[in-house]
Amino acid sequence: MSLVLNDVTVSRGVGPVISNVSLEVKPGQITTLVGPNGAGKTSLIEAIAGVITPSGGTIVMDDVDITKLSKRKRSRAGLSIVEQGRMIFPSLTVKENLQLTARTKADMDEALALFPELEKRLNNQSILLSGGEQQMVVLARAFAAKPKYLLLDEMSLGLAPVVFMRLLPVIEGIAKSGVGVLLVEQFAHLALKIAQDSVVVTSGRVSYQGDPKALLKDAELLRQKYMG
């Protein structure tokens, strides 16, 4: 049981932006997808989530082909995405944001346990929170939906590294709860440290796939794979 991509190609406009990607996201593990800006990472995440349709290949979740399913149906099957830009509902309180996805109070309480900082902010409008706190709300809301697989796209965007580092143990905790995590991240070294598997994409193609520790130990190898 896992989330498996087989030779997935995603096209926009006149041609493919990312081609022939195969990877596996296992329950309880973190797979990190890194690469330079414009490599096609977000397009791949959107294809997995059902925001756009891949032009080739298949996406299989727990032995079910979801390649042609809508985003809503994928979500109902247990696939959640945290998109770029801290997609909160700013006029709603923290509690109301979480209630959008939590089926029960227990689900919401479990999500809030990841972020004790939010307890005292429950009745505050989300727009009044700091950027880091807003990202906590987004993560907590995604976890409250009880996903089987969680896609995180550039979660650190607009955050200071020290704030993002606060979120990394939470991502590890989500994975340890049994959720398979695909983490797309600009802070490659930080993301690789918590991953069990890694994929580097450059110019729309996979340039490395394997042990993240090998990339962390060899800065030159990481630089070469980024350059393609």
Side-chain angles (χ1 to χ4, degrees):
M1 306 292 276
S2 56
L3 176 64
V4 180
L5 277 63
N6 295 302
D7 292 325
V8 171
T9 294
V10 183
S11 299
R12 290 184 185 272
V14 296
V17 293
I18 191 163
S19 303
N20 304 116
V21 177
S22 296
L23 60 82
E24 181 177 12
V25 181
K26 297 178 181 179
Q29 293 191 5
I30 298 171
T31 297
T32 296
L33 180 67
V34 297
N37 290 337
K41 303 185 298 297
T42 292
S43 293
L44 183 64
I45 284 282
E46 290 179 343
I48 299 171
V51 177
I52 56 178
T53 302
S55 53
T58 59
I59 303 169
V60 177
M61 187 172 76
D62 294 343
D63 299 325
V64 176
D65 190 333
I66 64 169
T67 310
K68 296 183 179 180
L69 291 185
S70 66
K71 180 181 178 182
R72 181 181 295 275
K73 288 182 178 179
R74 295 184 204 205
S75 177
R76 288 176 178 171
L79 184 63
S80 290
I81 180 173
V82 172
E83 299 177 69
Q84 292 184 15
R86 297 194 290 277
M87 304 296 287
I88 60 167
F89 292 89
S91 64
L92 300 183
T93 65
V94 170
K95 183 177 181 179
E96 289 168 340
N97 265 275
L98 297 182
Q99 288 174 331
L100 293 174
T101 59
R103 295 183 179 89
T104 67
K105 185 178 183 299
D107 289 345
M108 188 167 73
D109 289 344
E110 189 175 353
L112 281 171
L114 297 171
F115 301 105
E117 300 96 322
L118 294 180
E119 289 281 359
K120 61 181 179 293
R121 299 284 209 168
L122 277 179
N123 295 314
N124 289 23
Q125 281 187 314
S126 298
I127 196 171
L128 301 177
L129 305 183
S130 68
E133 289 170 333
Q134 289 179 0
Q135 195 61 279
M136 291 178 190
V137 173
V138 173
L139 260 181
R141 191 177 64 204
F143 186 68
K146 311 301 288 184
K148 296 178 181 178
Y149 301 96
L150 181 59
L151 312 176
L152 302 175
D153 187 15
E154 299 286 10
M155 197 177 60
S156 66
L157 199 65
L159 298 180
V162 66
V163 177
F164 178 56
M165 288 178 68
R166 161 66 183 89
L167 300 176
L168 291 177
V170 177
I171 298 171
E172 289 184 291
I174 290 173
K176 287 176 181 177
S177 75
V179 178
V181 178
L182 179 59
L183 175 61
V184 175
E185 191 45 58
Q186 59 178 335
F187 292 131
H189 283 85
L190 294 177
L192 290 167
K193 285 180 179 178
I194 65 169
Q196 287 73 52
D197 193 15
S198 61
V199 179
V200 181
V201 292
T202 307
S203 301
R205 292 190 176 274
V206 173
S207 58
Y208 176 88
Q209 191 162 10
D211 186 358
K213 294 182 178 61
L215 295 175
L216 289 171
K217 290 177 180 177
D218 190 340
E220 179 59 23
L221 175 63
L222 180 57
R223 188 192 70 81
Q224 289 176 357
K225 297 308 177 183
Y226 256 70
M227 297 298 291

